[in-house]
Amino acid sequence: MRFFSSLYPLAFIMVSGVIALFYVSHTTLTSWFRRDVCFSQPSITFVELPSEMHMSERVQYKQPSVLHGRSDVASVTPWLAPIVWKDTYDPVVFDHIYKNRNLTIATTVFAVGKYILFMHDFLETAEKYFMVGFNVHYYIFTDNPKAVPEVKFSPGRVKTIIEVPGSKRWQEISSRRMEMIQKTIEEHIKDEADYIFCLDVDTKFYDYWGPESLGTLVACLHPGYYEQQRESFPYERRSASTAYIPNNEGDYYYGGAVIGGLVGEVHKVAKTCRENLELDASKSIEAAWQEESHLNRYFLYNKPTKVLSPEYLWQDFKAKTKEIRTIRFSQVIKNYAEVRPNQ
Ligand code: UD2
């Protein structure tokens, strides 16, 4: 008995030693393991993009229907971009999504030579209907800055006049818009606006054109061709041109009078079309409808994320068709002998 009792302290020391050893090795291994986990775990960073469709406050509006909508027109493209027609969207929803963001919409418009005559009505009607309640920065390109009319602007709306050279050929003026839009985006607009629309000046606004038109890359259906087959679209058909589109290709025919989107996206459009116009010019090729042909080629391979219906680009001489529930923007009737005297 005495022999065994003399072994107690020894047993105690051995058991304590084993426990201490286990504890030390366990904590060391755990901390190594933890260190290892901390080291190898990838850090997750989310790119902060504001949700395009975020509503900043609660608001009452009509319940949307899943089963009923417009059935007389297509309101979505095969690549699932919306085609914007009246009664396919709720303006109350759009206003609440976009109004509190302090957005600036750059709006480029060219008035070279006699086209300065159209500037007054363009600006006056834009003030009444175009992006009402938003900051709008008009960039007016003209060879005659003194002739730009004084039109009273609402708060948050300003103009910058940019002097450009005149030209005898209207085709050249129309085409050179791409080059000047590219340059002005690089030098000014990229720091001064969020979205941009490039519009023709021989036009008037007749109804509201609001934030439902905003999107990453926005094209507009030409009013003359939206009911036609692709074979009869006036695309550039010569394969030597960089604007070439064969007969069995093409989605829609887009008008050159309305291009829009995020400033960076429209910069890509302008730069690509400018480069292709120059490449063609070096081979003495002028596409069928100048920059409009190049634009159509661009949009065939770089699909617009939003397509505006011909409500956003009508022609005054054209009778309203049944699917057009409103005309928002339209080309006025022009006296070609007066405005293009050298053609
Ligand atoms: C179509 C297009 C236009 C353009 C053109 C092809 C539509 C409704 N219109 O219209 O956007 O693609 O074909 O070149 O899609 N300009 C001047 N001074 C001139 C000539 C033109 O400032 O002497 C400017 C002006 O901003 C005008 C724009 O260029 O609005 C287009 O010229 P246009 O309206 O004469 O072209 P048009 O009617 O053939």
Side-chain angles (χ1 to χ4, degrees):
M1 257 333 259
R2 283 180 66 128
F3 171 73
F4 284 118
S5 58
S6 67
L7 289 180
Y8 286 162
L10 190 65
F12 176 76
I13 291 167
M14 280 171 70
V15 169
S16 315
V18 169
I19 291 171
L21 197 67
F22 176 78
Y23 177 77
V24 169
S25 60
H26 175 77
T27 47
T28 313
L29 281 176
T30 313
S31 66
W32 279 349
F33 180 65
R34 280 208 194 109
R35 225 182 295 152
D36 191 40
V37 168
C38 289
F39 182 71
S40 65
Q41 187 171 3
S43 59
I44 304 170
T45 45
F46 293 98
V47 180
E48 288 288 327
L49 279 180
S51 157
E52 271 240 307
M53 295 295 153
H54 173 72
M55 293 190 77
S56 54
E57 56 194 4
R58 293 172 67 185
V59 57
Q60 297 294 307
Y61 56 89
K62 197 167 158 259
Q63 184 188 344
S65 170
V66 174
L67 302 177
H68 302 289
R70 280 191 69 166
S71 54
D72 57 335
V73 290
S75 55
V76 68
T77 68
W79 56 94
L80 296 181
I83 306 179
V84 187
W85 302 85
K86 188 175 166 68
D87 302 329
T88 59
Y89 66 91
D90 188 336
V92 178
V93 178
F94 270 100
D95 269 3
H96 280 85
I97 290 171
Y98 285 99
K99 273 267 166 77
N100 295 325
R101 294 194 188 177
N102 195 26
L103 294 174
T104 297
I105 323 296
T107 305
T108 65
V109 61
F110 286 73
V112 178
K114 293 281 167 72
Y115 278 62
I116 194 73
L117 294 172
F118 300 113
M119 187 56 81
H120 180 268
D121 286 0
F122 173 88
L123 287 175
E124 197 170 74
T125 58
E127 281 303 289
K128 196 162 167 199
Y129 295 117
F130 179 66
M131 289 292 172
V132 174
F134 286 86
N135 303 318
V136 170
H137 193 148
Y138 299 100
Y139 295 84
I140 298 174
F141 298 79
T142 181
D143 56 341
N144 191 359
K146 285 202 192 95
V148 175
E150 278 306 323
V151 169
K152 193 173 175 319
F153 288 166
S154 302
R157 300 169 75 107
V158 294
K159 66 172 186 278
T160 296
I161 299 173
I162 299 163
E163 189 162 1
V164 294
S167 171
K168 285 205 164 65
R169 290 189 72 238
W170 66 269
Q171 295 93 332
E172 192 186 308
I173 296 169
S174 180
S175 294
R176 275 211 336 253
R177 289 189 291 180
M178 289 298 181
E179 176 195 336
M180 294 179 216
I181 290 167
Q182 180 198 340
K183 192 163 162 264
T184 311
I185 289 176
E186 288 164 8
E187 290 174 1
H188 304 281
I189 301 176
K190 70 172 175 29
D191 303 317
E192 295 170 358
D194 305 284
Y195 289 93
I196 179 170
F197 274 106
C198 308
L199 303 176
D200 268 14
V201 74
D202 52 327
T203 51
K204 273 192 208 174
F205 292 85
Y206 293 111
D207 199 354
Y208 288 99
W209 170 325
E212 74 285 351
S213 64
L214 297 176
T216 304
L217 181 60
V218 182
C220 187
L221 300 177
H222 193 294
Y225 301 96
Y226 71 96
E227 296 159 305
Q228 301 205 8
Q229 296 299 304
R230 53 159 67 128
E231 298 76 31
S232 51
F233 291 164
Y235 290 148
E236 172 54 55
R237 301 299 188 182
R238 292 167 296 173
S239 58
S241 167
T242 54
Y244 170 62
I245 299 179
N247 272 332
N248 57 356
E249 285 187 44
D251 301 309
Y252 309 108
Y253 190 77
Y254 302 105
V258 175
I259 314 167
L262 290 169
V263 172
E265 287 300 315
V266 175
H267 178 256
K268 283 187 214 159
V269 177
K271 185 170 182 289
T272 309
C273 290
R274 200 259 307 153
E275 286 167 358
N276 289 340
L277 280 155
E278 283 173 8
L279 251 168
D280 276 14
S282 71
K283 292 188 261 171
S284 305
I285 299 172
E286 183 173 88
W289 283 97
Q290 299 83 37
E291 90 297 353
E292 187 174 84
S293 305
H294 289 273
L295 196 63
N296 272 279
R297 163 83 185 210
Y298 186 92
F299 284 142
L300 176 57
Y301 299 110
N302 304 275
K303 306 285 194 213
T305 63
K306 190 169 270 188
V307 175
L308 303 179
S309 73
E311 292 170 11
Y312 294 80
L313 179 58
W314 199 248
Q315 289 165 317
D316 280 1
F317 66 78
K318 202 173 150 69
K320 203 160 152 232
T321 52
K322 61 182 184 331
E323 57 280 353
I324 300 293
R325 296 190 179 169
T326 187
I327 295 170
R328 303 174 192 281
F329 184 62
S330 180
Q331 218 181 11
V332 298
I333 296 169
K334 52 186 186 263
N335 177 350
Y336 285 95
E338 186 191 357
V339 298
R340 293 183 189 167
N342 303 309
Q343 73 178 341

